[in-house]
Structures are given as structure tokens and as C-alpha cells.
Amino acid sequence: MLILGLNMFHADASAAIVLDGEVKFAIAEERLNRRKHFGGFPSLAVKACLDAVGAKISDVEHVAVGQDSDANLAKKVQYALANPAKILNFIRLRQRKQAMRDVRSLLAKALDVDGASLHFQEHHLEHHIAHIASAYYCSPWEKAAGFSYDGSGDFVSTMMARCEGSEIEVLDRVYLPHSLGSVYTMICEFIGYTQYGDEGKVMGLAPYGTDRYASEIGKIVKDASGGFQLDLNYFKPLGSNQGMQVLADGTVKLARHYSERMEKIFGEPRRSHAEITPRDMDLAFGLQQRFEEIFFHLLGDLHLRVPLDEIAFAGGCALNSVANGKLFDRTPFRQTYIQPAAGDEGLAIGAALHTYHSVLKQPRRHELKQSYLGPEFSDSRIQSALESAGLEYRKLDRAALLGETADQIAAGNVVGWFQGRMEWGPRALGNRSIVAHPGLPNMKDVLNARIKHREWFRPFAPSILAEYQHEYFEHDHPSPFMLHVYKIRPQKRESLCAVNHVDDTGRLQTVTREENPMYYDLISAFHRKTGIPVILNTSFNENEPIVCTPEEAIDCFRRTRMDALAIGSFMAVKREGSAEKLTTSASRTEDT
Ligand SMILES: [Fe+2]
């Protein structure tokens, strides 16, 4: 049975294909059309899903969308009526959403087929149920607490659920305008981070601050029965889309979230490229602290209703790996399964799996242990890309490729590492990664100056062989999708100085041989040379979506000051000096 899952006309549009209950392929449209957070219809992603399983759209029996514009309709109407100025906007938004429900026509158009030839059954699933489904149905458990939180989705920001067997029973919802995601976005915007998806940057800034704004931020997000409540005086009225707009061309835009009240209390908002002041750091600190308090409070309540050790969760806020890492100390939950695509691209998987299990009553059978659900490329395709680019390269056997890459990293060089299937979700997990030495004091600056150009305060992440996690980190719970931040043990901080954040933490990826043998063996090779079972891992890109194809990887390698590229079975190394030295005479002309 073939089920296509979709997230469409929403940020991070995506598609996933599920065959007999197993996720065979999943990809966000941005990786294919190269437009970050693209929010239109995922035409290319759908085609890639079908190609991956050798199917035609007419073979698909069910199409599931992680959005249901009829969900929570009474609440939406009630909200619109209480805010007459928003009624027109509400009606427009609803009309647009209704038009988008015609999935058959949209797919027929995208794939250039006759709509009448499509016989699939169509399913629409409420946003947060799809988030929870994306985590629970991928988890190994038959029973778990389910949780989802983000800015907004189908007029809800937070959902709690009891998950058992093939069922997800919703226990509670927090409706808009009350949203932890919106608070995060509002304060991010106030301190100059105004793009969709900037919240992770502010999470990295938080430990530089102090708690001087704790009580002020406590007034913005107040405790309330059933969860929390925002003081709306600090917010611009945001409408039922909670300030996020998807333009007709798929660009995702954020409206200004903060009101004049913020300026009155905290002063001028920071402009995007202005210097970061202690005020901004303290706001980031207070925000993260309050976010965590509310999150743990919500999870405490959830545990009272679902008293299990296991929690499966997703939603954009589930990417807050700092909060995730503290969960074991601050809540009764002992095991987490967090969907690697915790943001809205994950809805495609959630909607498809929910259809399989909950609607079609099929038994649970598939645990998603690794995130490598994207495309892969043959050596011959990679070789022709290298030839076309005019790069000098060598073909190596597996052991030589691992050994030479480990030598490069150990020598302090920066290596592009392109292997196997692309990761699903926002993190590079060792298949589309840039890798470097974690223990060189200048490595963070080198990476930023040469390739990544990120803010000075943002940390780089460590990938560690799973069996060494306990030796290096203060927590044992695995973090296979790089979604937990733990303290690094004091005696290991120096050897991990390039990935040790200012608060002595690291957002680790634990790597097992079972999940990624090639990457595991690379870290092992580096370990044998240096005694450190860890490498620095950052995403393979330069201010763009993570590279997907060999051509994109080669292009990124050539235009940045990466030292070497290990791609498939091939190794390209830049000679001393500049990228030009690498190229053949034909492409040298092009470069200069
Ligand atoms: Fe969401």
C-alpha cells in the first residue's frame, strides 16, 4: 500500500512516501528548488518520492496532508468575531485554504497527468496531530505520551496526547493567540533576528546573558491553568496565521510580532546587523529560561495524565535542543523520541503514517532509527560531476578514503563530506556534512571566516561515537538526530574546545555503526589518530539549503575555502593557496 504524505502551502513544504507502513523516502522542497523554507506546493519533492519507489501517482492509494482547515473551526470563528478587524483577513485566509484543498488538481498539474486518472483517497489531518504522529509512529514504543508545540498550526500552538498502539488520543490543546513559538519569534525579532527559522540562533546567544529580565519576561508569558497565557499587549495583533505569511511564490515571511510596549520597556529594537548588546543577550537568556520553565511545566502536567517514561514529540519548538537536553532532569520522562524533522516538513511523514495506522488500522511495525531518507547518487554520477567541474580528484577504496579524510581532519583541515542518502530534517548528520577537528582552539573562527560566516556566538556541534558519550558528556540518553544539548565533562572540555559552547555544553550527535557505518568508521579512524572519538560536524552549505546533489557539493567546495572534499569514493584536495590552483585550465578561465 502506497501512501503519499504532504506538507503544502506552509513553510518547509515537503513530501514523503510510505510503502506498507515504512517511510521509504522523504524530502523538503527547499533541498530541490534551493529556496530556503519554501512554502508553496512541493512538486519536485513529490516527483522525487515517486521516482524513489518507482511508482506513478496513479499507483498511490492514499494522499495525506498535514493540515486541516476545518479543524478547530469553532475556535477560529469565535476569535474572528471577537476581533472584528480581522474578519476580512480570516475570510480571505479561509478561501485560500479551501482552494488548496483540491489536492487532486494540484498533483495532476504538478505531475502533468489527467486528474481523472487519479483514484487515491484524500486525508487531511490536523497540524499538531500530524506532528505527534511523525514522532510516535517513528518511535519504537507501543505506548507513549505525545506532545507538539510550535508557533501555530490549524489555530493551535500546543497539543498533548496519549499514544497507544495505532491510536493518538488528543488530551489537550492550547489555542492561538497563546503560543510559546510566537513568544520566541517575537523576542528574536526584537533583538534583530527577523527571518523565519532564526530562533536557533537566539538559543545559541542565550547563555551569554544574565537573568536580569526574568520577571519582565514572566509578565509576557504567564502561568495559567491548562498551560500558559501571553500578555497580548506585548504583541502586534497577528491574526489567525500568527504572523506567518506564505507569499504566492512560496516565500515565507514573518510579520512584525512585537508591539510598542516592548520598546517602552526594553528600549529600541536592535537592527539586524547592529552590534549585539548585553541587553540583547539578557533578553535571549530570559526568553530561553522562561521557555524552558513553561515547557517543563507542560510536560509535568502531561506526565500526570500519561504516567509513562516515554515521550514522543515534534513541532518547531522541539528543535530547542537546549530544553530537550534538560528534560531528563526537569521532568519525570526518561526516554525521548524526537522526530528528526521536528519542524513542519515532518508533517508529511506524520500525515502519511497516521493514515496507515490510525485511519487504515494497520499495525505498527516500523521504527525510524536514522534520518537518511533523501536521495543518493552513484559513483558514476559523482565522477561525471567532478569531471564537468574540472576538479582534480582521485578514486580511493573505502579504507583509503576514510584514512585520508581522517588525516585531513587531524591536520586541522576542513573537509566536505558527501556520502550516501541525504538527511531528512534540518540537521546534517554525517552524509551532507562539513567535518573538522573538534579540539583546535581556532577551528570555530576558521570555519566562520572560510565557509559558514555565522554569528560569532553560534556553536558548532560534535558527532561522537555512541559508546564514548558517557565519558565525554554528563548525560547518557542518546541524541541520534542532534536534538539534545548536554554538559561536556570538565576534563574533556579542552579536547573538545571547538565544539564546547560558552556554557560548557555541546549539541551532540551520537553515532552508532548500525545507523551510519561510513560516518561511524570515519570518526573511528579520527579517534585512532588523535585519541578523540569526536569530530566537529556542521551542515554542508554556505547560506543556502544544505547541498543535495554532487554538483551542489562541488560548487560549495569550489567557492568556499574548504580544504578537501570526500565525495562518494573520490577525494579532491585543494593545493596550498586558493581554489584556482585546483582547476583545469578550462575552468580556471571561468574562475578568474
Ligand atoms: Fe508546526
Side-chain angles (χ1 to χ4, degrees):
M1 184 190 302
L2 211 50
I3 305 175
L4 178 69
L6 296 175
N7 174 38
M8 59 185 207
F9 301 116
H10 195 87
D12 296 316
S14 64
I17 194 101
V18 170
L19 176 65
D20 297 332
E22 190 177 340
V23 184
K24 289 290 185 187
F25 189 94
I27 190 165
E29 186 75 0
E30 67 154 33
R31 301 292 170 87
L32 297 167
N33 72 4
R34 313 305 297 158
R35 294 179 54 198
K36 234 175 175 185
H37 299 301
F38 179 79
F41 188 76
S43 308
L44 299 173
V46 169
K47 284 178 195 154
C49 282
L50 294 171
D51 288 349
V53 294
K56 300 191 290 293
I57 188 67
S58 51
D59 301 326
V60 171
E61 289 158 84
H62 299 270
V63 174
V65 182
Q67 184 183 52
D68 180 2
S69 53
D70 289 340
N72 309 304
L73 192 56
K75 283 280 178 188
K76 290 179 198 167
V77 171
Q78 192 186 359
Y79 180 70
L81 291 175
N83 300 270
K86 293 176 195 157
I87 288 178
L88 201 61
N89 179 39
F90 172 74
I91 293 169
R92 264 198 228 113
L93 208 67
R94 192 149 171 79
Q95 280 169 340
R96 190 163 169 246
K97 284 192 171 169
Q98 290 295 355
M100 289 168 194
R101 281 181 74 101
D102 188 1
V103 178
R104 203 167 302 271
S105 308
L106 291 161
L107 280 169
K109 191 175 165 213
L111 300 168
D112 198 19
V113 296
D114 179 5
S117 69
L118 306 181
H119 303 292
F120 57 76
Q121 232 181 298
E122 195 176 313
H123 308 266
H124 289 262
L125 179 64
E126 184 182 344
H127 185 102
H128 285 276
I129 302 179
H131 272 316
I132 291 174
S134 76
Y136 171 60
Y137 291 131
C138 289
S139 80
W141 308 312
E142 273 295 314
K143 266 187 195 179
F147 187 74
S148 169
Y149 67 145
D150 63 13
S152 73
D154 288 329
F155 208 67
V156 169
S157 74
T158 309
M159 182 179 278
M160 296 185 188
R162 179 184 290 113
C163 307
E164 189 163 351
S166 292
E167 297 300 323
I168 294 174
E169 180 197 349
V170 177
L171 299 174
D172 220 340
R173 293 174 173 86
V174 176
Y175 295 98
L176 297 187
H178 306 292
S179 158
L180 271 187
S182 296
V183 179
Y184 221 105
T185 302
M186 185 272 274
I187 295 182
C188 285
E189 285 183 354
F190 189 77
I191 60 178
Y193 293 95
T194 56
Q195 302 297 312
Y196 183 81
D198 273 353
E199 290 81 358
K201 299 179 184 176
V202 173
M203 186 179 74
L205 180 63
Y208 289 90
T210 70
D211 69 351
R212 78 168 148 142
Y213 291 134
S215 75
E216 285 302 333
I217 293 177
K219 290 177 196 160
I220 301 173
V221 200
K222 290 177 280 198
D223 296 314
S225 68
F228 60 94
Q229 208 169 32
L230 305 190
D231 182 338
L232 298 177
N233 292 313
Y234 292 84
F235 295 80
K236 281 261 184 206
L238 293 169
S240 58
N241 60 348
Q242 203 70 351
M244 187 185 81
Q245 199 187 354
V246 179
L247 305 183
D249 70 352
T251 305
V252 178
K253 270 189 79 171
L254 287 178
R256 181 182 134 174
H257 279 51
Y258 58 86
S259 71
E260 284 69 31
R261 167 76 74 95
M262 283 293 290
E263 299 183 50
K264 222 182 238 173
I265 292 171
F266 299 108
E268 285 275 297
R270 174 180 165 267
R271 286 177 188 277
S272 275
H273 296 289
E275 197 183 330
I276 292 169
T277 63
R279 190 275 315 256
D280 305 321
M281 296 179 192
D282 293 343
L283 272 170
F285 183 96
L287 168 65
Q288 178 65 26
Q289 190 177 54
R290 186 70 182 135
F291 176 91
E292 290 170 13
E293 280 170 11
I294 302 279
F295 176 49
F296 300 137
H297 180 69
L298 289 167
L299 292 198
D301 281 354
L302 176 58
H303 191 266
L304 290 175
R305 297 160 89 169
V306 189
L308 298 169
D309 283 351
E310 296 81 14
I311 178 166
F313 65 107
C317 295
L319 294 170
N320 195 309
S321 42
V322 174
N324 298 344
K326 294 177 183 170
L327 183 154
F328 307 104
D329 295 332
R330 303 274 297 271
T331 82
F333 291 109
R334 303 271 62 89
Q335 301 277 336
T336 59
Y337 186 95
I338 311 171
Q339 162 60 227
D344 287 341
E345 70 269 47
L347 297 171
I349 276 193
L353 289 176
H354 185 271
T355 298
Y356 186 74
H357 296 299
S358 188
V359 178
L360 303 171
K361 305 292 176 206
Q362 295 297 312
R364 302 276 310 284
R365 52 178 284 192
H366 176 58
E367 179 191 350
L368 188 74
K369 287 186 173 173
Q370 42 82 6
S371 72
Y372 311 107
L373 296 175
E376 65 181 330
F377 300 88
S378 65
D379 264 356
S380 63
R381 163 78 187 268
I382 292 170
Q383 189 164 16
S384 65
L386 288 161
E387 291 287 340
S388 302
L391 280 193
E392 283 178 15
Y393 63 87
R394 285 166 297 128
K395 184 165 188 179
L396 301 173
D397 65 25
R398 190 177 189 277
L401 185 84
L402 290 167
E404 207 167 298
T405 306
D407 281 341
Q408 288 279 348
I409 303 170
N413 290 329
V414 178
V415 184
W417 178 252
F418 182 104
Q419 303 291 334
R421 296 184 67 177
M422 187 179 70
E423 298 86 345
W424 161 245
R427 305 268 181 267
L429 296 172
N431 283 6
R432 300 289 185 278
S433 291
I434 293 170
V435 289
H437 198 308
L440 300 179
N442 65 340
M443 188 47 74
K444 190 173 153 183
D445 294 339
V446 166
L447 276 168
N448 271 331
R450 292 221 234 143
I451 300 159
K452 301 294 285 190
H453 317 299
R454 305 201 315 181
E455 293 81 358
W456 57 268
F457 55 81
R458 292 175 63 192
F460 286 103
S463 295
I464 182 165
L465 299 178
E467 57 271 33
Y468 288 93
Q469 181 178 342
H470 180 75
E471 213 176 285
Y472 280 74
F473 289 90
E474 292 185 356
H475 271 280
D476 280 341
H477 191 284
S479 178
F481 305 134
M482 207 185 260
L483 287 170
H484 300 82
V485 167
Y486 298 141
K487 279 262 184 218
I488 298 173
R489 290 192 184 279
Q491 66 275 24
K492 299 296 184 188
R493 288 173 191 163
E494 201 181 331
S495 64
L496 298 190
C497 60
V499 293
N500 183 29
H501 200 25
V502 64
D503 56 352
D504 294 319
T505 62
R507 190 186 70 195
L508 73 162
Q509 174 197 2
T510 45
V511 182
T512 65
R513 196 157 201 290
E514 182 196 359
E515 286 150 17
N516 192 337
M518 190 73 180
Y519 194 44
Y520 181 93
D521 289 350
L522 174 66
I523 306 171
S524 296
F526 179 75
H527 182 210
R528 283 194 296 277
K529 288 175 199 300
T530 62
I532 305 172
V534 178
I535 59 178
L536 182 157
N537 171 9
T538 185
S539 52
F540 199 147
N541 60 349
E542 183 207 22
N543 295 324
E544 61 186 324
I546 296 176
V547 300
C548 174
T549 64
E551 289 78 7
E552 286 151 12
I554 290 165
D555 188 47
C556 184
F557 171 66
R558 291 179 67 187
R559 70 173 187 269
T560 63
R561 288 165 61 206
M562 229 177 279
D563 297 295
L565 173 66
I567 181 165
S569 301
F570 306 97
M571 172 71 87
V573 181
K574 283 179 188 160
R575 293 181 201 146
E576 287 291 301
S578 65
E580 282 77 17
K581 284 186 182 172
L582 277 164
T583 56
T584 63
S585 54
S587 57
R588 190 153 49 235
T589 315
E590 182 193 298
D591 281 350
T592 47

